[in-house]
Amino acid sequence: MRPSIISTKDNPELAQITAAWRWDAFMQDSVYTRADAVDFDVQSAKSDDQIPTVLVLLEEQTPAGMVTLCLNDVEHRPDLNPWLAGLYVEPQFRGKGYGSRLVEELEALARSAGINRLYLYTPNAEGFYLKAGWDTFETFEEQKRLNFIMRKDL
């Protein structure tokens, strides 16, 4: 059975899972709290707006990964929007192409919403995104680590 991708807007109960993933994978060393992660994901699920949207990949009804379409993911670059953010695949599901599927689905969602360009930033997955057709736009240092801002014209 091929994995499916759904939105937390259609399945708001998944917001607690995506918030936990977001906190554990991306926010622990930030100024944000676990409650901030929960609030973002719960509010995203309740919102009627296209942005933010959290997509979840299910393998046999088990949540396996997520990706988010959001605004203002890099505070010092408010001029760049919208963003692909929070791409995460649970360790036991990695190596199956799920990250690529989530990126492709988010790009399709953005195109259908009339979005012509997306941005993302990553400290360690530049090669993954380059293979997916993204371009490195600029770099910045945060917490003594180099981050790549990337963009893709849709």
Side-chain angles (χ1 to χ4, degrees), residues 12 24 36 41 58 66 70 86 122 149 153:
D24 291 341
D36 293 329
D41 283 66
L58 300 175
M66 70 173 200
C70 68
T122 180
I149 294 180
D153 291 329

Side-chain angles (χ1 to χ4, degrees), residues 46-98:
K46 290 179 180 178
S47 173
D48 291 331
D49 296 331
Q50 193 77 38
I51 301 173
T53 294
V54 180
L55 299 178
V56 179
L57 184 140
L58 300 175
E59 183 181 272
E60 297 182 13
Q61 303 307 310
T62 300
M66 70 173 200
V67 68
T68 304
L69 177 64
C70 68
L71 297 174
N72 304 317
D73 200 35
V74 174
E75 289 181 12
H76 72 273
R77 290 308 307 264
D79 55 314
L80 304 179
N81 275 305
W83 295 80
L84 178 154
L87 176 63
Y88 175 79
V89 176
E90 280 277 86
Q92 67 268 30
F93 296 106
R94 292 179 185 165
K96 297 181 175 189
Y98 291 171

Side-chain angles (χ1 to χ4, degrees), residues 2-145:
R2 183 177 161 104
S4 59
I5 297 177
I6 59 173
S7 170
T8 58
K9 293 178 188 309
D10 298 323
N11 298 81
E13 70 279 2
L14 293 173
Q16 295 295 324
I17 294 168
T18 59
W21 287 344
R22 187 177 314 286
W23 169 257
D24 291 341
F26 307 110
M27 299 175 73
Q28 285 188 29
D29 296 329
S30 74
V31 297
Y32 300 102
T33 66
R34 182 178 289 275
D36 293 329
V38 170
D39 183 58
F40 177 84
D41 283 66
V42 168
Q43 293 307 315
S44 296
K46 290 179 180 178
S47 173
D48 291 331
D49 296 331
Q50 193 77 38
I51 301 173
T53 294
V54 180
L55 299 178
V56 179
L57 184 140
L58 300 175
E59 183 181 272
E60 297 182 13
Q61 303 307 310
T62 300
M66 70 173 200
V67 68
T68 304
L69 177 64
C70 68
L71 297 174
N72 304 317
D73 200 35
V74 174
E75 289 181 12
H76 72 273
R77 290 308 307 264
D79 55 314
L80 304 179
N81 275 305
W83 295 80
L84 178 154
L87 176 63
Y88 175 79
V89 176
E90 280 277 86
Q92 67 268 30
F93 296 106
R94 292 179 185 165
K96 297 181 175 189
Y98 291 171
S100 295
R101 287 237 7 246
L102 283 160
V103 169
E104 290 166 5
E105 188 74 18
L106 187 95
E107 291 170 359
L109 173 70
R111 271 192 298 279
S112 72
I115 296 168
N116 298 319
R117 178 181 286 163
L118 286 174
Y119 296 90
L120 66 82
Y121 83 96
T122 180
N124 55 13
E126 182 188 25
F128 170 82
Y129 290 108
L130 287 170
K131 289 178 187 173
W134 290 73
D135 296 310
T136 302
F137 179 63
E138 68 184 43
T139 60
F140 68 96
E141 190 171 313
E142 185 177 72
Q143 298 177 350
K144 298 182 181 180
R145 148 177 100 173

